[in-house]
Amino acid sequence: MTATSTPRFRRAGAPAGSAAGSADGSAADSAALEARRVTLSYEKSVIFDGLDLRIERGRVTTLVGANGSGKSTVLKAFGRLLTPGAGTVELDGHPVRSLSTREVARRLAILPQKPLTPSATTVRDLVSRGRHPHQSLLRPFTPHDSAVVDAALAATGLRGLEGRDAGSLSGGQLQRAWIALILAQEAPTILLDEPTTFLDLSHQLDVLRLVRRINREHGATVVMVLHDLSLAGRYSDRLVVLGGGRVIADGTPWEVLTPAILREAFDLEALVIPDPSCGSPLVVPVDTEHR
Amino acid sequence: MTATTANQPAPQPGNGPGSRPGPRPRRAEPSRDGHRFFGRQWQGRVVVVTAVCLLLAIAAALFGIVAGSSSLTVPDVVRTLVGGGTRAERLIVLDLRLPRVTAGLLVGAALGLAGALTQTFARNPLATPDIIGVTSGASLGAVSAIVLAGGGYSVAAGLLSLGLPLVATLGALVTAAAVYGLSWRGGVDSYRLILIGIGATATLTGITSYLIAKAQITDAAAAAQWLVGSLSGISWASVWPVLIVLVVVTPIALLQSTNLEVSQLGDDVSTGLGVALQRHRLIVILCAVLLTAAAVSASGPIEFVAFVAPQIARRVARSGRPPLLASALVGAIIVVGGDALARGVLPGEIPVGIITAVVGAPYLIRLLTRRNTKESTL
């Protein structure tokens, strides 16, 4: 962020330290999000029945699992885009349904999988929409809002592109613009649904480094859905493996990314070795056919 | 990240939303859009476009009063409007042309605003009251009032001021609820909304034709003439309902503009940003239905105004969605201008609904063919 403005990310608990070893201490008992006995279903098919899941504050938690395992479903339920059939979702200790949607928007930002890029809208205007939950008839766009938007554009490296039409951006630039919008929302909890899809590897790394930075520098709680297990292991404090309508495994990347769990969750034969570049678990699929 | 863009000079603190940091940082690519002078586009260009449209609407209204078979000059008209003029001039200006032009302005504004609301809400320029069935619903209501109540224009005169708007509103509301309900599937899919709307329009038009075919010849003639969409023979009695609806609905619609803006980003994003979507949708639809019903009750269905006006306003303002006030004003200009053109320039008294249809239909075709090549949100 630039020095001109300090966005008011609410710091709660200690910002997460190193991936595995950060001491929980006082932060451990304050959950940012908690699902209690939640039933989630689309139309008639029930995806989860009685799901319990707790998201600790100030951490990067990544939901992984096979296609159709309900990763996005859980994220939508946390972001009140999907109303549970039974059970409660709590945000900062309040049942989500007891808060107005605007109040939720000040505490939690969610980037869904396929946002619509509006036509004839500059990058700056797009990012400015992130201020919507803080505005009202009596409180229109202020210099503070403008400063927060500047900071969000700077954090995502978009200052030079702010006057461009959002429709003319490349995939990586556009994804950064959406993340800038989420940053401008200044919510202490951020949910990202597959933020790296359709990006090449270097842009995937850009996005995940940015997410890590947001978490470290502002103490933001991040919950995201990722497909790439090695990248998930590298940039997350905690992984939650979903499958078969339940939580298969939940823990640090090294606890979760084991051949046995990968076999159960993904039907995948894989070796897990330390990543030579940073020591996080690297998932190497075993190809039985070409041996 | 692109390293070149990361180290821009920091902005000066305290910049308002409209102002820009002093010297612009050097741009990596030349700016593609030509409206850099205004800060946030809707605060600048849209305001200017709206003001220009207001002036044009006033000019069109003056032209509308001057144009016609009896020759009047602008000074005559102005003199009469402020209280002078001969008796004949007063009759022509105050009792004949003024209600007609006022009705044109109000009907056009109501249609333009209704079109802007539905197009923005459905994120599709085809989703206008004419196409999604609301207009046909109002028309069916009005025609059944004309035909079933019996009597031609003379009897319908009392009906025109009170009963007809109510039945038309009822028809529009029922149609909107049915089309919306049928196209709802956990959200509004604009294509389903439009396709079901086209089906509803066909059905309702069929029933309307049946009513006319079964009606007394005088009623049938009155209904058929009314269905073309015309401002001729309009009196102050039909002006008031439109005025009241516009005065009530416009502020409500304007209060929804930030929500409309945010909802262009998709249902999930707008919920995430704190828009109470269900309530927002209900308000927007009700506003559009009331405006359409009021306009249709006064003048009959004037085709394509709700469709064309918002798109013209959007293109001139170069904004991502149709600006509400400018769309209303463009609608007013089209209806009043078209009516004046029909009376003053073209031979014979052509109803304004025919003029707007002749102009609007090619525009619809152009938009449809263009959308095949380039997909966009609006």
Side-chain angles (χ1 to χ4, degrees):
Chain A
M1 296 286 162
T2 56
T4 51
S5 70
T6 38
R8 302 164 292 132
F9 284 103
R10 274 171 257 185
R11 267 173 198 271
S18 65
S22 69
D24 291 352
S26 59
D29 55 350
S30 65
L33 282 163
E34 185 159 14
R36 290 177 204 265
R37 310 222 149 271
V38 159
T39 300
L40 299 171
S41 47
Y42 285 115
E43 312 243 319
K44 279 164 198 159
S45 60
V46 176
I47 316 279
F48 291 99
D49 191 4
L51 176 79
D52 287 306
L53 189 58
R54 201 180 139 87
I55 305 295
E56 290 137 36
R57 213 178 277 285
R59 303 289 202 88
V60 176
T61 305
T62 300
L63 310 178
V64 296
N67 288 334
S69 60
K71 309 177 290 284
S72 297
T73 310
V74 172
L75 206 70
K76 280 184 183 168
F78 277 146
R80 54 83 171 85
L81 300 181
L82 186 68
T83 310
T88 53
V89 174
E90 288 185 4
L91 170 61
D92 300 333
H94 309 280
V96 167
R97 265 186 277 184
S98 73
L99 301 171
S100 76
T101 185
R102 191 173 278 260
E103 178 58 34
V104 174
R106 292 195 203 108
R107 294 167 181 262
L108 173 146
I110 179 165
L111 180 58
Q113 255 182 61
K114 289 175 204 148
L116 299 176
T117 308
S119 57
T121 303
T122 62
V123 172
R124 187 182 183 85
D125 281 352
L126 178 65
V127 175
S128 301
R129 310 272 152 84
R131 299 304 297 161
H132 185 261
H134 303 277
Q135 290 168 257
S136 69
L137 195 62
L138 301 173
R139 195 196 165 288
F141 210 79
T142 63
H144 172 73
D145 292 316
S146 195
V148 173
V149 170
D150 286 338
L153 287 166
T156 47
L158 290 169
R159 282 310 295 269
L161 300 173
E162 62 176 84
R164 279 266 296 270
D165 190 292
S168 71
L169 297 183
S170 72
Q173 290 167 338
L174 189 59
Q175 193 61 15
R176 277 190 278 144
W178 283 109
I179 293 176
L181 182 148
I182 296 298
L183 280 181
Q185 204 173 332
E186 285 191 306
T189 299
I190 294 173
L191 311 184
L192 304 166
D193 197 352
E194 296 191 22
T196 56
T197 22
F198 306 121
L199 300 182
D200 62 38
L201 187 56
S202 94
H203 286 106
Q204 289 185 30
L205 288 169
D206 274 350
V207 166
L208 292 174
R209 284 183 192 131
L210 176 61
V211 168
R212 198 58 170 141
R213 205 147 44 83
I214 295 162
N215 163 254
R216 292 240 167 102
E217 291 176 10
H218 307 288
T221 308
V222 178
V223 188
M224 59 182 167
V225 170
L226 287 181
H227 270 298
D228 189 309
L229 295 171
S230 301
L231 288 180
R234 185 189 279 204
Y235 291 101
S236 313
D237 299 314
R238 174 187 171 206
L239 296 185
V240 177
V241 185
L242 299 170
R246 64 190 181 88
V247 175
I248 292 178
D250 181 354
T252 64
W254 274 110
E255 287 167 359
V256 163
L257 295 177
T258 65
I261 292 173
L262 293 174
R263 198 174 298 128
E264 186 186 352
F266 296 93
D267 197 17
L268 174 77
E269 290 300 324
L271 303 170
V272 181
I273 56 171
D275 188 323
S277 79
C278 60
S280 63
L282 186 63
V283 175
V284 183
V286 177
D287 202 333
T288 44
E289 284 176 22
H290 291 88
R291 268 198 172 163
Chain B
M1 303 285 150
T2 44
T4 47
T5 59
N7 299 319
Q8 298 292 350
Q12 293 146 6
N15 276 323
S19 62
R20 296 238 153 229
R24 300 274 321 150
R26 191 172 49 81
R27 221 163 263 292
E29 290 95 2
S31 167
R32 279 158 38 100
D33 45 359
H35 55 287
R36 306 258 73 247
F37 297 107
F38 309 106
R40 302 190 67 209
Q41 46 182 316
W42 57 272
Q43 286 177 328
R45 192 167 172 111
V46 170
V47 170
V48 173
V49 167
T50 308
V52 171
C53 286
L54 185 64
L55 293 177
L56 285 175
I58 293 170
L62 274 179
F63 174 56
I65 297 177
V66 174
S69 44
S70 342
S71 55
L72 286 172
T73 61
V74 176
D76 290 341
V77 170
V78 173
R79 187 154 29 84
T80 316
L81 282 177
V82 296
T86 64
R87 236 176 119 187
E89 281 171 352
R90 280 223 291 281
L91 174 76
I92 292 171
V93 171
L94 297 181
D95 293 343
L96 296 176
R97 299 231 178 118
L98 198 59
R100 183 171 185 152
V101 165
T102 312
L105 286 173
L106 297 176
V107 164
L111 290 175
L113 185 55
L117 286 172
T118 52
Q119 289 179 347
T120 314
F121 151 84
R123 302 179 203 115
N124 193 318
L126 295 177
T128 62
D130 341 27
I131 294 171
I132 62 172
V134 179
T135 308
S136 338
S139 299
L140 176 58
V143 167
S144 49
I146 294 173
V147 168
L148 300 179
Y153 252 30
S154 51
V155 180
L159 205 71
L160 277 171
S161 59
L162 220 149
L164 195 143
L166 287 183
V167 188
T169 306
L170 192 69
L173 272 176
V174 170
T175 312
V179 170
Y180 189 66
L182 287 170
S183 56
W184 176 267
R185 210 167 285 171
V188 202
D189 177 68
S190 68
Y191 284 99
R192 200 182 300 131
L193 183 79
I194 290 162
L195 289 176
I196 291 175
I198 290 172
T201 304
T203 312
L204 295 167
T205 311
I207 301 174
T208 308
S209 304
Y210 174 80
L211 281 180
I212 292 177
K214 283 284 174 190
Q216 298 280 330
I217 188 73
T218 46
D219 297 344
Q225 194 188 350
W226 182 85
L227 270 179
V228 172
S230 167
L231 294 173
S232 68
I234 215 154
S235 66
W236 286 113
S238 4
V239 168
W240 299 125
V242 200
L243 183 65
I244 292 166
V245 168
L246 260 179
V247 166
V248 172
V249 165
T250 308
I252 299 175
L254 287 176
L255 283 179
Q256 291 298 314
S257 36
T258 51
N259 283 344
L260 284 170
E261 188 89 50
V262 171
S263 70
Q264 297 307 295
L265 309 178
D267 291 354
D268 285 353
V269 177
S270 33
T271 304
L273 286 172
V275 176
L277 267 187
Q278 303 289 358
R279 203 186 54 179
H280 163 68
R281 284 191 184 121
L282 188 69
I283 294 173
V284 168
I285 289 184
L286 269 180
C287 286
V289 167
L290 288 177
L291 289 167
T292 308
V296 170
S297 312
S299 65
I302 299 180
E303 298 288 332
F304 290 112
V305 175
F307 165 67
V308 174
Q311 290 303 308
I312 292 176
R314 184 178 80 81
R315 281 177 169 73
V316 175
R318 287 196 208 130
S319 72
R321 62 182 178 88
L324 297 179
L325 278 182
S327 303
L329 291 168
V330 171
I333 296 167
I334 291 177
V335 172
V336 172
D339 186 52
L341 212 64
R343 279 183 293 124
V345 180
L346 300 172
E349 281 243 337
I350 303 171
V352 61
I354 290 179
I355 304 242
T356 56
V358 166
V359 178
Y363 190 74
L364 172 66
I365 293 168
R366 187 182 151 243
L367 201 74
L368 283 170
T369 50
R370 217 174 60 87
R371 274 178 73 78
N372 282 340
T373 54
K374 183 171 173 269
E375 195 62 38
S376 69
T377 352
L378 250 176

